[in-house]
Amino acid sequence: MKTEAIKELLYKMADDLLIIGHRNSEWTGLGPILEEDIAFSSMAQDKIGQSQALFQLLHELGEQEPDTVAFMRNANQFHNAQFLELPNGDYDFSLMRHFLYDVADQLRFEMLANSSYEPLAKVARKVKGELKYHVFHANTWITKLGAATEESHVRMQTALNDSWNYALGLFEEGPFEKQLAEEGIFEGEAALQKRWLETITPVLDKATLTIPAASTWEPKLGGRNCFHTEHLQPLVEEMSEVFRVDPSAEW
Amino acid sequence: MIKSLDPRITRENISENNTIDPLTPMDNWETYEVFHQKKRGDQHMHVGIVHAPNPEMALLFGKDQYGRRGITANIWVVKTANVFCTEYEDQDMFETTPEKQYREAGGYKVMDKINKYKKAQKA
Amino acid sequence: MYGNAYIDPNEKANGILAGEDPIKLKEFENRIARGEKIEPKDWMPKEYRKQLIRMIEQHAHSEIIGALPEGTWITRAPGFRRKMALMAKVQDEVGHAQLLYSAAETLGKSREDMTNDLIIGKSKYSNVFNYPAFTWADACIIAWLIDAGAIINQVANAKGSYGPYCRALDRICTEESFHLKYGHDNVVTLATGTPIQRKMVQEALTRWWPPIMHFFGPSDKISQHSEILMRWKVKMASNDDMRQQFLNMYVPKIWDLGLVLPDPNLKLNEETKKWDYTEPDWDEFKRVINGGGPCNAERLAVRRMAEERGRWVRKALLNKSEQYVTPLA
Ligand SMILES: [Fe+2]
Ligand SMILES: [Fe+2]
């Protein structure tokens, strides 16, 4: 039972990282300026690497090899939040998603650094520096672009509005919330969401951006239970295209 | 519309004959000179430039362009416009410096005198 | 045509030095002859500046355009290790473009002007990137053999006379050694893998061999102009010498894997100690470099798209009070 709970936690985190890392990697070579292209690629690489580390933990808990699990499932077997599978859109949306997700990711790993499940706590401590940089990058871009010109402000506000309900879907609760908290493994999605709101609010203020009114909040749920938008299946097919050329081969 | 081998490109729906306005001056922002310190105790070394619109982003970019491999302790960025330099054509100002032996440890050789003195004492 | 000095065989050499101060020219040439580097604000002949800008700019374009054929496979790279490595490799190529544009900027041409010349098709870039990467194996062949060719060229140019270009190339060459190993590892995995994988890599090699033979450009015509550029250490090795060096280093490695090269005449000539090969189709080379290749139009259209999509980002953060200052080094 406890293992099931840990697996559920690991799967959603690993899938989140895999899918956002994959989406962000699509910008490689096509970014808004050379220097940012390089920076964004580094962070996408980090995400994929973190995802791999979590699939490795799953493997140690009896799941298949990381490559097999990550690259050979169908969309209806993925546990990522729907937010992360949405197409990149323009750089405004990509940056806003990067900001909203990476803050949540950083806080989640921060909470897990003291988890009673030591293998995960170890990963969390290891990625601390990477995440610090990701959030520094995201905060800088969001505050600068939010408050720069009329055009950039409108674009970033629109991106925030479009992202918001999807971002709330990051904190969709699972069946093991209580148990994970009691065992000291993970404090829970509600606690994470609270911290997340407290963390992003001052940054968005500084960026002169406004969080949509609470009355309009309707979290896009389902991702954690493998319900996805039409965008995920083509993504996973693309991801596995080469593998499928010869599934028996080592690539 | 371009049907590319790269699915990322196909999704963009671009025409082969797309045209855009030329980039205007400063489109890529100003430049910062980047200085990289490998480990504490080392000097910062000039490693190149980044184009950036402000110092914070120059640091972000400097980190990834010049610090994404190996080890790094610290990075500085300085706006190119704020760096003052000597001219290479004035390199002759430095020409006689290596000859100024009176300011070098190697310019002082006492052993000859000491040995000569000792020899004379013995005799 | 990677970072290779382009010499117009029709240009008359005596015009090149016209109007140059003979004393300064002598000092400049003596400095190069002593093995010293030229730095950005040094006096330099107009032709030296012109050829260097052209060469470094083309090299930079080759890096950013070169990110596209391999980028084709970024979303499809098989497995964690391959995916992260390919991302890192393509990221490096973007980084190389950044370093090379920076070096060219020190000679007085802005990055915006270079980009503009690229996207309207005025500037050239390495011809090989006008060919498509049909399969994953094509991306592997590129990473191994095109990067191998680039390294030969870049190692030679790193001993050239212009300080900022040499410094950029030193940094680039370190990263290229990862590209080469990465590419080789990929090709070896396919060549020693399943029959499907072997077939895939053989087909990719067959496709890429003609562009690879084109890579260093046609034999140089000996001219006064090319002699001057050699003396100025702008052009560091002849195209044929670099091609021979490449064949020497890589043909045996390719044959080791039991792969077949589509040239029945390719062999090491025991007398000359040089490689004999079927003369590459230089008409095809010219056709492609002048825009007629399978991917020329797409490559430039993609760069225009990327520049345009990023424009609002750059514009928003533009500091109107700033003036452009030529970077130092
Ligand atoms: Fe490169
Ligand atoms: Fe390379």
Side-chain angles (χ1 to χ4, degrees):
Chain A
M1 196 60 184
K2 183 176 155 191
T3 309
E4 284 313 297
I6 292 173
K7 278 188 185 176
E8 193 257 350
L9 177 64
L10 289 176
Y11 258 116
K12 71 181 168 192
M13 290 178 69
D15 281 343
D16 275 0
L17 286 162
L18 179 64
I19 299 300
I20 188 69
H22 183 93
R23 279 294 184 222
N24 288 352
S25 80
E26 291 184 41
W27 279 108
T28 315
L30 305 171
I33 190 161
L34 296 173
E35 283 82 358
E36 171 63 2
D37 200 311
I38 297 162
F40 213 60
S41 171
S42 284
M43 294 185 293
Q45 288 166 44
D46 290 346
K47 300 269 180 250
I48 306 273
Q50 292 166 10
S51 167
Q52 186 185 24
L54 297 179
F55 278 116
Q56 185 57 40
L57 295 188
L58 279 163
H59 181 48
E60 283 154 24
L61 292 174
E63 300 294 288
Q64 283 182 287
E65 293 285 338
D67 274 345
T68 313
V69 185
F71 287 78
M72 295 302 265
R73 281 172 301 162
N74 278 315
N76 61 11
Q77 296 166 292
F78 273 79
H79 303 262
N80 60 285
Q82 291 178 3
F83 190 26
L84 309 175
E85 72 209 35
L86 300 177
N88 280 341
D90 264 333
Y91 215 60
D92 41 17
F93 179 75
S94 285
L95 272 177
M96 185 54 76
R97 176 165 62 186
H98 162 56
F99 167 69
L100 295 172
Y101 170 71
D102 279 48
V103 171
D105 192 40
Q106 186 192 36
L107 293 170
R108 187 187 291 273
F109 271 118
E110 226 171 77
M111 288 158 77
L112 290 166
N114 300 312
S115 171
S116 64
Y117 179 51
E118 183 50 29
L120 182 54
K122 216 170 128 195
V123 173
R125 289 193 294 268
K126 194 169 149 212
V127 300
K128 184 170 157 261
E130 283 179 5
L131 294 170
K132 187 193 260 184
Y133 170 68
H134 296 194
V135 168
F136 173 43
H137 175 276
N139 286 355
T140 308
W141 271 99
I142 294 296
T143 48
K144 296 285 181 195
L145 278 180
T149 59
E150 178 66 25
E151 187 196 5
S152 73
H153 175 79
V154 171
R155 272 179 172 272
M156 296 314 285
Q157 183 63 55
T158 308
L160 177 59
N161 298 346
D162 293 348
S163 299
W164 190 255
N165 285 330
Y166 281 104
L168 293 175
L170 289 168
F171 312 102
E172 178 175 356
E173 296 197 326
F176 304 109
E177 297 288 326
K178 198 161 155 264
Q179 192 189 353
L180 286 168
E182 279 170 4
E183 301 264 5
I185 296 166
F186 176 60
E187 216 182 313
E189 299 296 335
L192 175 60
Q193 178 171 344
K194 185 167 168 288
R195 282 188 209 188
W196 175 75
L197 274 171
E198 286 163 6
T199 311
I200 60 168
T201 303
V203 181
L204 290 170
D205 281 349
K206 204 171 152 206
T208 71
L209 298 172
T210 316
I211 293 176
S215 58
T216 66
W217 294 9
E218 272 177 49
K220 298 271 187 192
L221 304 177
R224 303 304 184 204
N225 291 310
C226 305
F227 293 107
H228 292 283
T229 66
E230 74 273 23
H231 304 292
L232 187 61
Q233 185 59 29
L235 184 157
V236 298
E237 275 168 23
E238 214 168 292
M239 209 161 73
S240 63
E241 188 186 308
V242 176
F243 262 141
R244 280 184 285 115
V245 170
D246 188 345
S248 68
E250 184 206 317
W251 292 91
Chain B
M1 291 303 126
I2 293 177
K3 179 117 183 46
S4 176
L5 288 166
D6 186 342
R8 304 178 303 158
I9 306 299
T10 304
R11 285 197 281 274
E12 293 297 330
N13 282 318
I14 42 177
S15 151
E16 278 192 356
N17 306 311
N18 60 352
T19 53
I20 66 169
D21 290 336
L23 307 192
T24 48
M26 298 294 289
D27 174 284
N28 277 218
W29 308 316
E30 60 267 31
T31 64
Y32 287 76
E33 305 290 326
V34 182
F35 299 82
H36 178 267
Q37 186 194 35
K38 223 168 159 177
K39 45 185 211 302
R40 286 163 186 265
D42 286 355
Q43 302 276 16
H44 285 69
M45 301 278 276
H46 182 263
V47 283
I49 62 157
V50 289
H51 285 244
N54 52 58
E56 297 96 311
M57 285 181 168
L59 283 171
L60 286 173
F61 297 158
K63 173 199 173 279
D64 275 303
Q65 175 63 326
Y66 298 104
R68 70 178 182 274
R69 284 205 173 80
I71 53 167
T72 302
N74 194 255
I75 283 176
W76 293 343
V77 293
V78 183
K79 207 182 276 186
T80 299
N82 290 342
V83 179
F84 299 87
C85 322
T86 60
E87 301 291 336
Y88 280 102
E89 59 176 50
D90 295 335
Q91 203 180 333
D92 51 5
M93 294 191 303
F94 303 101
E95 232 160 53
T96 58
T97 310
E99 292 162 23
K100 289 173 180 155
Q101 286 295 311
Y102 62 85
R103 59 199 307 161
E104 305 290 336
Y108 296 88
K109 297 202 167 66
V110 294
M111 280 319 287
D112 286 356
K113 274 183 193 152
I114 292 173
N115 288 336
K116 199 175 154 199
Y117 169 76
K118 279 187 176 165
K119 220 171 160 186
Q121 289 295 307
K122 259 186 218 162
Chain C
M1 284 305 298
Y2 203 74
N4 221 356
Y6 169 85
I7 297 163
D8 185 344
N10 302 315
E11 216 165 328
K12 290 277 174 292
N14 50 6
I16 292 167
L17 298 176
E20 300 292 4
D21 179 334
I23 297 171
K24 287 186 166 153
L25 181 62
K26 191 89 207 125
E27 271 175 28
F28 168 85
E29 293 198 333
N30 285 345
R31 187 180 301 285
I32 293 174
R34 286 196 302 269
E36 289 178 33
K37 302 287 179 188
I38 303 300
E39 292 291 345
K41 287 182 184 163
D42 277 330
W43 181 91
M44 57 185 82
K46 286 188 282 304
E47 183 65 13
Y48 179 82
R49 185 183 301 274
K50 186 178 132 194
Q51 291 297 345
L52 270 175
I53 291 177
R54 187 214 293 258
M55 179 169 81
I56 304 172
E57 179 183 349
Q58 282 182 9
H59 192 172
H61 295 331
S62 301
E63 301 285 350
I64 191 68
I65 296 281
L68 298 175
E70 285 179 278
T72 304
W73 290 90
I74 272 195
T75 60
R76 292 175 286 179
F80 279 108
R81 185 158 154 259
R82 296 301 185 204
K83 191 172 177 68
M84 288 189 285
L86 179 60
M87 286 162 73
K89 197 230 175 224
V90 178
Q91 175 191 41
D92 283 349
E93 306 301 3
V94 177
H96 296 172
Q98 195 275 356
L99 294 170
L100 292 162
Y101 282 126
S102 303
E105 274 181 88
T106 64
L107 290 159
K109 186 167 182 181
S110 73
R111 199 156 93 180
E112 291 84 357
D113 284 345
M114 290 186 266
T115 306
N116 286 334
D117 286 348
L118 172 68
I119 60 183
I120 60 168
K122 190 175 158 202
S123 296
K124 303 285 184 226
Y125 53 85
S126 181
N127 223 19
V128 282
F129 301 124
N130 288 318
Y131 291 87
F134 278 113
T135 69
W136 169 250
D138 292 66
C140 300
I141 293 287
I142 296 174
W144 184 31
L145 295 177
I146 299 299
D147 281 62
I151 290 171
I152 288 173
N153 184 239
Q154 290 169 160
V155 167
N157 282 359
K159 299 189 191 80
S161 61
Y162 188 58
Y165 187 39
C166 299
R167 290 192 284 270
L169 287 174
D170 282 343
R171 184 171 280 272
I172 288 170
C173 286
T174 320
E175 296 180 354
E176 292 294 359
S177 53
F178 147 60
H179 299 180
L180 187 69
K181 287 268 188 186
Y182 158 83
H184 194 208
D185 185 273
N186 267 293
V187 171
V188 169
T189 301
L190 296 179
T192 60
T194 66
I196 293 174
Q197 286 177 311
R198 247 193 103 73
K199 181 163 175 280
M200 209 175 160
V201 75
Q202 176 62 62
E203 284 169 0
L205 179 62
T206 305
R207 271 194 289 275
W208 278 86
W209 193 248
I212 287 169
M213 289 300 284
H214 283 151
F215 184 80
F216 297 102
S219 304
D220 301 290
K221 299 223 168 49
I222 307 298
S223 69
Q224 248 182 306
H225 195 175
S226 67
E227 271 169 31
I228 290 174
L229 292 180
M230 292 260 199
R231 187 164 80 227
W232 287 349
K233 294 188 187 166
V234 171
K235 185 169 178 63
M236 297 301 292
S238 82
N239 295 354
D240 282 333
D241 284 351
M242 288 191 284
R243 189 162 24 245
Q244 284 293 334
Q245 199 187 332
F246 173 83
L247 295 171
N248 237 337
M249 289 173 76
Y250 294 98
V251 173
K253 291 195 171 80
I254 295 167
W255 283 344
D256 256 359
L257 294 169
L259 296 170
V260 179
L261 290 168
D263 180 356
N265 299 321
L266 183 70
K267 64 165 195 307
L268 187 64
N269 185 320
E270 290 303 335
E271 275 166 43
T272 60
K273 300 285 173 220
K274 289 195 167 168
W275 289 83
D276 294 336
Y277 50 80
T278 310
E279 193 59 24
D281 181 351
W282 296 112
D283 290 335
E284 153 86 359
F285 175 79
K286 274 185 217 127
R287 197 176 60 75
V288 175
I289 209 159
N290 288 317
C295 298
N296 300 57
E298 174 178 331
R299 299 290 184 244
L300 294 188
V302 169
R303 282 317 310 158
R304 286 191 291 270
M305 177 275 291
E307 293 296 339
E308 193 58 26
R309 286 188 78 188
R311 194 191 298 260
W312 74 268
V313 179
R314 302 190 303 271
K315 206 173 102 194
L317 300 183
L318 182 85
N319 217 325
K320 293 219 174 58
S321 60
E322 290 294 338
Q323 297 245 308
Y324 181 71
V325 179
T326 305
L328 289 171

